Amino acid sequence: MTQATRSTAPSGTAVPTIKLLINGEFVESQTTQWRDVVNPATQQVLARVPLATPEELAAAVAAAKAAFRTWRKTPIGARARIFLKYQQLIRENMSEVAALLTAEQGKTLPDAEGDIFRGLEVVEHAANIGSLQMGELANNVANGVDTYTLQQPLGVCAGITPFNFPAMIPLWMFPMAIATGNTFVLKPSEQDPMSTMRLVELAVEAGIPAGVLNVVHGAEDVVNGLCDHPDIRAISFVGSTRVGTHVYNRASLAGKRVQCMMGAKNHVVVLPDAPKEQTLNALVGAGFGAAGQRCMASSVVVLVGEARAWVDEIAERAKTLKVGAGHEPGVDVGPVISCAARARIESLIATGLEDGARLVLDGRNPPVPGYDNGNFVGPTLFAGVKPGMRIYDQEIFGPVLCVVEVDTLDDAIALINANPNGNGTGLFTRSGGAARHFQEEIDVGQVGINVPIPVPVPLFSFTGSRGSKLGDLGPYGKQVVLFYTQTKTVTARWFDEDAVSTVNTTISLR
Ligand code: NAD
């Protein structure tokens, strides 16, 4: 049991309670509203998470505002060294955090380690932030005048995160905001906050000072409170399109900078010349891995021309995947996050049949011995899918792969560009010319060429587009440095006393 989850509840409940982090202290919420954190493979209640009160939210923001006064002036090197220490602590505690993450989220242990590792890469990048936060200088823009820019931190920033990557996505946010000199209030997903809190504890252990990082838990009311709070300057959100659109509108109206990364429907195009073995493996891994609960999951496969014949081979491979509890060895597909998510996915599968798609592989009610109560949905494959069917039009966010068949690469490009989402896409082919044509014509923010889940490393930024994103600048990398800083442009003239006296002497000698 960790500091952030150790129970001090007066009720004496055996279930640990998740703490808030306010001004450097892990504190018990005074709320009367709590929610269970549940293991999705067993329904065991692992902890209780508070829905923080307005006073607790105000205290977290006040602590962040006070800490900003000194943190913004802390030297870049001193800030960066905390993240050097932090990356080391994350590495040392990787398997413990992964076990916690699997217990509360459901994904397999290797996937949980991947979730943490992709966040760790951002922490490593934060430790080298100085070179990205440098301004620019133009010498002699007029006689004796220089113009230069300062990239200064904004103040208190806030982050609101989804359930599907409880390690990576909080780590997209607070390390970059804090390394650039801001202070932060994090609102983790209320469905699986335990692994996030363990990472927050490690951040405090690494030396993040009191008030620089704060955490409040909750759902709609707390999120609305963050959007409205006058002392918060910027909000980073990752989650569904419905909630992200609300957050964008509400926080923008309150005058904040907002970036929202939202829902997806990622299409992967397969040309008949694609390397078959690698392509089929990639499709199955990217479609069903993490039980399809990745925002960059390949949820639609577009088979072009003769590649239509590959449907049955996709199904054969999908059948070999083992469904089970994420901590069991050899499992490929863990449970989905909640009973409600499972019911929603199963009802969408039913609509696929009603709307006329061909159910090639039905993953409903898979047998998982020893885990009768788990939220399991096995790999499910539909062929003959078309726009207008609910399984195509909605983000399913489960292990359901939809196959659309088209005649040409240009038909595939037209289909994808007509879809409102623009998070990720991919093409499998041996043709460089086809790949270049696709790269040029496709209107999607992240493109994989023979790469199924093209999430950029933190040297770049996450660049979803169109309906999958609101706001101009993406998370992590160079773009987020601009998001978390204000550019101040200074135009300066310094009078050179010697030069002035020389001029004056010259004048007086005339
Ligand atoms: P969600 O939108 O339900 O929740 C996200 C956050 O919003 C949570 O912290 C939650 O507490 C809060 N929230 C929920 N309902 C709210 C409401 N009515 N008002 C205000 N706040 C509310 O998302 P989720 O189910 O946790 O995550 C899955 C979604 O996130 C999927 O749509 C997925 O595509 C998306 N996602 C996108 C990316 C990306 O980078 N584009 C990455 C990961 C996940």
Side-chain angles (χ1 to χ4, degrees):
M1 200 173 293
T2 66
Q3 224 185 331
T5 58
R6 195 172 293 125
S7 182
T8 54
S11 58
T13 169
V15 178
T17 51
I18 312 276
K19 303 296 178 281
L20 311 172
L21 174 62
I22 299 179
N23 204 21
E25 300 288 331
F26 289 97
V27 293
E28 184 87 11
S29 173
Q30 299 306 304
T31 186
T32 53
Q33 292 179 286
W34 295 81
R35 187 187 190 286
D36 290 342
V37 180
V38 178
N39 181 325
T42 62
Q43 309 305 337
Q44 181 198 354
V45 177
L46 301 171
R48 299 175 75 219
V49 63
L51 308 186
T53 65
E55 293 74 24
E56 288 163 345
L57 171 57
V61 178
K65 189 179 177 189
F68 181 64
R69 283 188 216 114
T70 44
W71 184 246
R72 66 189 279 262
K73 296 193 173 158
T74 305
I76 291 173
R79 295 200 300 251
R81 274 189 287 279
I82 292 174
F83 291 96
L84 282 176
K85 175 76 177 163
Y86 189 31
Q87 66 79 30
Q88 178 197 347
L89 288 174
I90 294 175
R91 282 177 198 283
E92 286 169 8
N93 291 275
M94 173 81 83
S95 32
E96 179 218 323
V97 183
L100 204 53
L101 201 159
T102 293
E104 64 176 348
Q105 204 276 352
K107 63 178 71 173
T108 65
L109 281 171
D111 261 350
E113 292 213 353
D115 187 337
I116 301 162
F117 185 78
R118 294 309 301 261
L120 173 65
E121 291 182 311
V122 181
V123 175
E124 291 170 343
H125 204 226
N128 188 26
I129 205 71
S131 55
L132 280 185
Q133 205 180 341
M134 292 193 303
E136 297 174 316
L137 185 145
N139 191 211
N140 281 322
V141 292
N143 263 347
V145 177
D146 301 327
T147 296
Y148 53 93
T149 58
L150 309 175
Q151 294 301 137
Q152 296 193 311
L154 299 177
V156 182
C157 301
I160 301 158
T161 56
F163 80 83
N164 65 328
F165 282 97
M168 176 182 81
I169 293 178
L171 293 176
W172 279 3
M173 296 180 183
F174 73 80
M176 295 300 277
I178 290 174
T180 49
N182 300 281
T183 56
F184 207 82
V185 179
L186 175 67
K187 206 299 284 173
S189 170
E190 70 280 23
Q191 299 197 74
D192 49 10
M194 298 174 76
S195 44
T196 311
M197 287 312 283
R198 186 71 190 111
L199 289 165
V200 165
E201 283 181 342
L202 295 175
V204 171
E205 192 181 331
I208 291 186
V212 171
L213 174 61
N214 305 272
V215 184
V216 287
H217 299 287
E220 186 170 353
D221 290 346
V222 172
V223 168
N224 287 341
L226 292 170
C227 292
D228 296 345
H229 200 297
D231 290 334
I232 294 176
R233 298 287 310 279
I235 292 200
S236 301
F237 170 91
V238 179
S240 63
T241 303
R242 180 182 65 83
V243 178
T245 306
H246 164 75
V247 166
Y248 188 83
N249 291 337
R250 188 158 178 154
S252 301
L253 266 180
K256 301 180 193 342
R257 268 185 205 188
V258 197
Q259 54 171 196
C260 294
M261 307 305 129
M262 306 184 294
K265 198 78 179 175
N266 306 307
H267 295 58
V268 174
V269 180
V270 180
L271 297 186
D273 71 347
K276 197 167 185 182
E277 282 300 302
Q278 292 95 326
T279 303
L280 291 172
N281 287 340
L283 293 179
V284 168
F288 303 119
Q293 299 176 119
R294 294 181 180 128
C295 67
M296 288 288 279
S298 311
S299 48
V300 180
V301 174
V302 187
L303 297 180
V304 179
E306 289 158 20
R308 291 165 196 260
W310 296 11
V311 171
D312 291 337
E313 283 161 286
I314 299 173
E316 285 314 310
R317 267 165 221 244
K319 276 183 205 162
T320 66
L321 298 178
K322 185 173 170 194
V323 181
H327 64 275
E328 297 281 6
V331 165
D332 301 295
V333 179
V336 296
I337 185 71
S338 63
C339 299
R342 177 185 174 184
R344 185 180 163 278
I345 294 163
E346 288 177 346
S347 75
L348 272 166
I349 294 173
T351 70
L353 287 166
E354 287 163 26
D355 291 346
R358 182 163 67 90
L359 185 54
V360 183
L361 183 63
D362 186 355
R364 288 174 292 183
N365 303 312
V368 184
Y371 297 93
D372 292 343
N373 296 323
N375 312 322
F376 295 103
V377 183
T380 299
L381 184 67
F382 277 106
V385 176
K386 294 188 169 56
M389 294 180 176
R390 284 163 282 183
I391 50 170
Y392 181 84
D393 292 347
Q394 295 183 33
E395 182 183 32
I396 301 175
F397 223 55
V400 181
L401 196 53
C402 295
V403 174
V404 180
E405 295 91 352
V406 299
D407 292 331
T408 66
L409 176 58
D410 281 331
D411 292 342
I413 291 171
L415 175 84
I416 297 168
N417 288 350
N419 189 283
N421 297 285
N423 213 36
T425 188
L427 175 72
F428 282 81
T429 182
R430 282 195 170 90
S431 161
R436 190 158 196 290
H437 179 65
F438 184 76
Q439 164 196 307
E440 291 297 305
E441 299 302 322
I442 206 71
D443 188 7
V444 173
Q446 300 176 108
V447 181
I449 306 291
N450 296 316
V451 171
I453 305 185
V455 177
V457 295
L459 298 174
F460 299 88
S461 301
F462 192 91
T463 55
S465 67
R466 294 199 283 129
S468 299
K469 178 183 188 180
L470 283 168
D472 295 331
L473 298 167
Y476 65 82
K478 287 182 197 167
Q479 292 195 8
V480 98
V481 173
L482 291 177
F483 181 78
Y484 287 136
T485 58
Q486 171 71 43
T487 306
K488 187 181 279 177
T489 310
V490 181
T491 299
R493 167 183 287 143
W494 288 97
F495 298 103
D496 182 331
E497 296 300 333
D498 291 342
V500 170
S501 60
T502 313
V503 171
N504 287 345
T505 316
T506 315
I507 291 168
S508 62
L509 286 176
R510 272 194 190 147

